[in-house]
Amino acid sequence: MYQSVQLLCSNNPTITSSNAAFTEGLNELNAKISDILNFVSTDIKHTSGITNDKTVTKHNLCTVASEIAGFVFAYANVVKNEVLKQEVNYTYNEIRRLREDLIIPTVKIIFNATQANLASLGSYGIDAIKLQEFADAISAYTNALPSTKMTKSEKSSVVISLNNLFKETDELLKNRLDKLLALFTKAHPEFVNAYKSIRHVDAPTKTTTQIKGNISSAKDGTVIEGANIILTGKTNYSAISDTEGNFNFKPISYGKYQVNVQATGYQSHTELNYLVKRGVVNKLVVALKE
């Protein structure tokens, strides 16, 4: 809705510039819209960079760990060491799907078991160089984690900042530009009607319209906690998914929205024309790719 008002006014410069107070308010609106777009764009780029780094190091660690685990398992099978077999009995997918806080402890068990039996593993393709490669992969992934965790705390700031920008922009429209519109009623009724048409929304506290949604992994269906969901349209909203991946917008104005979903460790998701139907519970289910 913000950009629709912006477009209408930019297409009618002669009308909007005929009043200094309206022009001043419009300039502030343009600045607010620019701040919102820049904020979202910067956050997406920042998150994507960190996500890519973590994804690469995680893939490398899972590859090295599972390969070495397979070799050690083969050795343990030959010498009939059942304890050792259990310590290293992990595939690539099993390691990758572990919770973040369990990956490092798990691969360290594999590492320690390998190190303890290194002298006997030469014929299985494992030597000191291979073990060092494993250690380097663990270090690389460990070093990638602090930046990712810091980003999770930053996401709360993103939501707060965006909500503040949305609130300030809504107040600017409601308390200034909407009021000043009466200045153009007699001379430019078509412009006034077009503006009112764009600005018409349900009173949020009086509508039963809502969205219930869930964010999960496209790979294995795991729910995603802490995903950032941003809706931009008639009115703007943002939320964070809970421990079960759920979120809710209630009440919400009906109409079309652009949906943007971001979560650490996953590709961002954008939907340009999500339709919120009036007076019903709308569903929004998003599966994010890694």
Side-chain angles (χ1 to χ4, degrees), residues 11-284:
N11 286 338
N12 293 275
T14 303
I15 298 174
T16 58
S17 63
S18 65
N19 181 269
F22 193 89
T23 299
E24 181 182 355
L26 182 58
N27 289 337
E28 289 188 31
L29 174 65
N30 292 335
K32 293 291 185 186
I33 293 173
S34 179
D35 287 343
I36 291 171
L37 295 176
N38 287 336
F39 208 109
V40 173
S41 175
T42 300
D43 181 62
I44 291 172
K45 291 178 181 177
H46 176 62
T47 304
S48 297
I50 292 173
T51 297
N52 289 338
D53 182 51
K54 181 192 167 187
T55 301
V56 170
T57 57
K58 180 179 180 180
H59 169 71
N60 185 54
L61 175 58
C62 293
T63 300
V64 173
S66 60
E67 181 182 79
I68 288 178
F71 294 150
V72 177
F73 185 93
Y75 162 75
N77 187 60
V78 170
V79 299
K80 302 186 184 307
N81 188 333
E82 294 299 322
V83 174
L84 182 58
K85 285 171 66 175
Q86 290 301 315
E87 288 179 331
V88 299
N89 190 21
Y90 290 93
T91 65
Y92 171 90
N93 284 330
E94 286 172 338
I95 298 172
R96 186 186 64 80
R97 291 174 181 171
L98 289 170
R99 288 204 326 258
E100 187 175 281
D101 59 331
L102 294 179
I103 291 178
I104 293 299
T106 300
V107 297
K108 282 187 175 179
I109 290 173
I110 299 172
F111 179 89
N112 291 337
T114 305
Q115 188 175 47
N117 293 275
L118 187 61
S120 304
L121 294 171
S123 60
Y124 291 83
I126 302 175
D127 54 19
I129 295 176
K130 191 69 175 178
L131 191 64
Q132 185 58 50
E133 179 186 347
F134 192 2
D136 291 342
I138 293 173
S139 296
Y141 181 72
T142 302
N143 292 335
L145 291 179
S147 295
T148 304
K149 289 178 180 177
M150 183 172 60
T151 301
K152 289 181 179 178
S153 65
E154 289 174 350
K155 283 192 175 298
S156 294
S157 297
V158 169
V159 172
I160 292 171
S161 298
L162 281 172
N163 280 338
N164 287 338
L165 280 171
F166 292 153
K167 182 179 178 180
E168 291 168 5
T169 307
D170 288 339
E171 289 178 351
L172 171 61
L173 284 164
K174 181 179 178 180
N175 298 329
R176 291 178 61 185
L177 293 182
D178 289 1
K179 303 298 184 185
L180 291 170
L181 186 67
L183 294 167
F184 310 115
T185 302
K186 291 183 179 180
H188 306 286
E190 292 182 357
F191 172 78
V192 171
N193 289 334
Y195 182 100
K196 287 182 177 179
S197 176
I198 292 171
R199 289 285 291 138
H200 175 71
V201 295
D202 284 340
T205 57
K206 297 180 180 179
T207 178
T208 57
T209 307
Q210 62 177 293
I211 295 176
K212 285 188 175 181
N214 182 269
I215 309 298
S216 64
S217 167
K219 186 71 174 180
D220 55 18
T222 303
V223 297
I224 300 175
E225 177 186 1
N228 186 18
I229 306 98
I230 300 171
L231 303 183
T232 53
K234 282 183 174 183
T235 311
N236 300 279
Y237 305 88
S238 60
I240 296 178
S241 60
D242 62 20
T243 55
E244 296 181 348
N246 296 323
F247 64 92
N248 181 243
F249 292 107
K250 177 185 179 181
I252 186 172
S253 300
Y254 70 92
K256 288 186 177 181
Y257 289 84
Q258 176 174 310
V259 178
N260 182 263
V261 182
Q262 303 168 42
T264 301
Y266 297 86
Q267 298 178 31
S268 62
H269 169 87
T270 300
E271 190 171 335
L272 297 179
N273 291 297
Y274 175 73
L275 178 62
V276 175
K277 296 180 180 179
R278 186 177 187 177
V280 301
V281 178
N282 296 268
K283 301 295 183 180
L284 178 55

